[in-house]
Amino acid sequence: MRHKVRNWIERNTRLAWLGLAILVLMFVALLWNEWQSEKRASMKEVEWMPLVPLDFGLTQPIPRDIILDKGKVALGKSLFHDARLSSDDSVSCASCHDLSGGGVDNRARSLGVNGGVGGINAPTVLNSGFNFVQFWDGRAPTLEAQVDGPVNHPLEMASNWGQVLGKLMQDEDYRVRFLSAYPDGITSSNVKDALATFERSLVTPDSPFDRYLRGDKTALDAPALRGWQLFQSYGCVSCHQGSNLGGNFYERMGLMGDYFGDRGNHTEADNGRYNVTHDEADRHYFRVPSLRNVALTYPYFHDGSIDNLNDAVRTMAKYQLGRAMPDDDVEAIVAFLVSLTGRSVAEQQP
Ligand code: HEC
Ligand code: HEC
């Protein structure tokens, strides 16, 4: 056998050398590839991004026609703007949730009665009816239940139901309107119901993104369209999804990095859902916020620590996805986020 091989090699020396050379080349190529892919893995910036039109179907447009009792909506609107819900008649819901803007106060921390400073950033009331629970930590299961929060909170309206109902009952106009909407007139649960009904009317349909989802392929310009594709391919949509692009479940802030360690100055609000459940597994979990009208709802995050969208996107990429995002991807995603600004409430309910 060995004899035969040696004979073959002697007869085909050139072919044998060629074979050997090919083997060596293949080995070198293999090593090179290994080395390159290690280098790629250690590189911070991710260069590949598919630019095919993606649509994972995880988001839906804001519904256009929500049927609500008009009398209750109007009553809720009056209550929402009524400072008598606060102890010294100085603060209304609208003081912290400005409906002519993004439904927020654009402050890192809200100012309540007597200039009391709250512990957490005010989220928007716009489209809040689509969120699965209310508050950053989800401690209120419904919009109705949420109202107890601000009315009684010492740093917000610093009042109580006895005081509020007493003031509302002195108002002839309220007495009539409540009786026509509710057989039992002015009660705390009817005040909550009217406010919640009004809040359910605070929807902002027909943003460029909604028009795109409904089939108008020209509604997003090129940067916003690229941003939408990156929003999906980076995986933002795995948390920010549904008709509100958020508001469907809890997630941990700092999934891929120590956000709180890096930021410093730990506050009680940073505990998130843990404050409700006292389960260690829930520490730093927050209801994923909606990104609807996000261009108007600065500053960002539960701590209001970031005042512009570019940095908010970079922070998300770093701490939720473990990636450093190139500037042009950040810009594109911001263009997409700006396309989430819908028809304003002021325009719809003059
Ligand atoms: C002093 C400022 C202030 C006032 C007044 C105020 N809010 Fe808020 N609102 C906040 C803050 C801050 C939060 C977030 C609190 C939290 O998550 O712990 C919030 C949260 C909410 C939420 C939850 C939104 C979400 O996405 O989770 C709703 C709804 C809401 N407020 C409605 C109201 C209504 C109705 C009133 C009047 C009865 C009111 N607010 C009065 C500051 C205020
Ligand atoms: C693992 C889940 C998760 C992923 C992935 C994720 N986010 Fe978030 N996002 C959150 C949570 C949770 C918060 C609230 C964090 C906080 O307030 O501390 C948030 C907050 C935000 C905010 C601030 C909203 C506000 O009103 O304060 C923006 C903007 C945002 N995300 C955009 C993005 C973008 C863009 C991506 C992709 C690059 C992304 N997110 C990926 C969970 C996620």
Side-chain angles (χ1 to χ4, degrees):
M1 178 69 190
R2 228 194 292 159
H3 184 68
K4 270 192 182 163
V5 172
R6 203 183 308 138
N7 270 353
W8 184 88
I9 290 178
E10 270 162 20
R11 266 183 282 118
N12 301 285
T13 339
R14 270 211 257 163
L15 216 62
W17 276 115
L18 194 68
L20 194 67
I22 288 174
L23 274 176
V24 169
L25 269 176
M26 275 167 68
F27 187 64
V28 168
L30 204 77
L31 282 181
W32 171 261
N33 191 37
E34 268 307 298
W35 181 63
Q36 281 294 310
S37 66
E38 258 171 48
K39 222 171 74 171
R40 266 200 303 274
S42 70
M43 260 179 359
K44 283 222 167 134
E45 296 199 342
V46 176
E47 285 149 5
W48 68 273
M49 266 305 145
L51 280 175
V52 288
L54 294 169
D55 189 352
F56 298 167
L58 291 172
T59 50
Q60 296 82 38
I62 295 275
R64 279 189 181 129
D65 26 47
I66 293 178
I67 315 254
L68 296 163
D69 183 310
K70 287 207 174 69
K72 292 179 182 173
V73 170
L75 198 47
K77 184 174 183 177
S78 304
L79 292 164
F80 195 87
H81 293 90
D82 196 328
R84 282 174 290 182
L85 267 62
S86 66
S87 57
D88 63 357
D89 297 355
S90 67
V91 173
S92 72
C93 308
S95 309
C96 300
H97 301 287
D98 180 3
L99 302 181
S100 65
V104 295
D105 53 9
N106 297 121
R107 294 171 184 277
R109 301 276 197 281
S110 301
L111 295 183
V113 163
N114 290 326
V117 181
I120 202 161
N121 179 250
T124 182
V125 288
L126 304 180
N127 308 299
S128 55
F130 302 125
N131 295 331
F132 87 122
V133 288
Q134 301 299 320
F135 290 132
W136 286 98
D137 58 12
R139 66 188 180 283
T142 60
L143 283 172
E144 286 81 353
Q146 187 278 332
V147 181
D148 283 324
V151 169
N152 294 298
H153 197 299
L155 297 173
E156 294 186 0
M157 301 174 119
S159 189
N160 58 67
W161 284 113
Q163 200 180 59
V164 169
L165 296 180
K167 285 192 246 175
L168 299 183
M169 280 172 187
Q170 284 168 22
D171 186 317
E172 169 70 22
D173 184 49
Y174 270 140
R175 283 206 301 272
V176 174
R177 288 168 70 198
F178 263 95
L179 270 176
S180 74
Y182 303 95
D184 51 348
I186 300 181
T187 67
S188 62
S189 70
N190 293 344
V191 171
K192 292 182 209 179
D193 186 81
L195 276 167
T197 308
F198 172 60
E199 287 173 300
R200 290 196 179 94
S201 78
L202 301 177
V203 299
T204 62
D206 299 326
S207 68
F209 180 60
D210 291 83
R211 285 188 272 123
Y212 173 82
L213 284 181
R214 288 186 197 276
D216 175 0
K217 296 302 169 200
T218 62
L220 293 185
D221 59 14
L225 186 61
R226 182 165 171 269
W228 164 227
Q229 296 178 357
L230 293 169
F231 188 83
Q232 295 176 95
S233 54
Y234 269 103
C236 313
V237 78
S238 65
C239 289
H240 297 279
Q241 53 176 264
S243 57
N244 243 1
L245 288 100
N248 303 330
F249 44 80
Y250 303 106
E251 250 310 339
R252 202 173 72 176
M253 178 54 162
L255 207 55
M256 305 294 283
D258 186 4
Y259 174 78
F260 295 97
D262 292 350
R263 193 207 60 194
N265 297 325
H266 188 90
T267 69
E268 201 194 340
D270 292 343
N271 293 333
R273 184 87 187 129
Y274 171 87
N275 289 336
V276 180
T277 64
H278 299 288
D279 180 348
E280 199 48 53
D282 286 334
R283 194 180 290 278
H284 302 324
Y285 271 72
F286 296 91
R287 189 199 62 203
V288 176
S290 164
L291 299 182
R292 289 284 174 186
N293 305 296
V294 72
L296 309 176
T297 61
Y298 56 88
Y300 301 110
F301 303 129
H302 74 282
D303 53 12
S305 60
I306 301 278
D307 64 3
N308 68 87
L309 271 179
N310 289 50
D311 287 341
V313 172
R314 271 190 208 98
T315 303
M316 277 286 122
K318 177 171 179 195
Y319 291 103
Q320 300 305 79
L321 297 165
R323 294 164 83 165
M325 196 182 275
D327 285 346
D328 55 341
D329 287 3
V330 173
E331 297 288 341
I333 291 183
V334 169
F336 164 64
L337 294 178
V338 171
S339 85
L340 299 176
T341 303
R343 240 174 342 121
S344 77
V345 168
E347 188 187 323
Q348 298 172 65
Q349 303 183 2

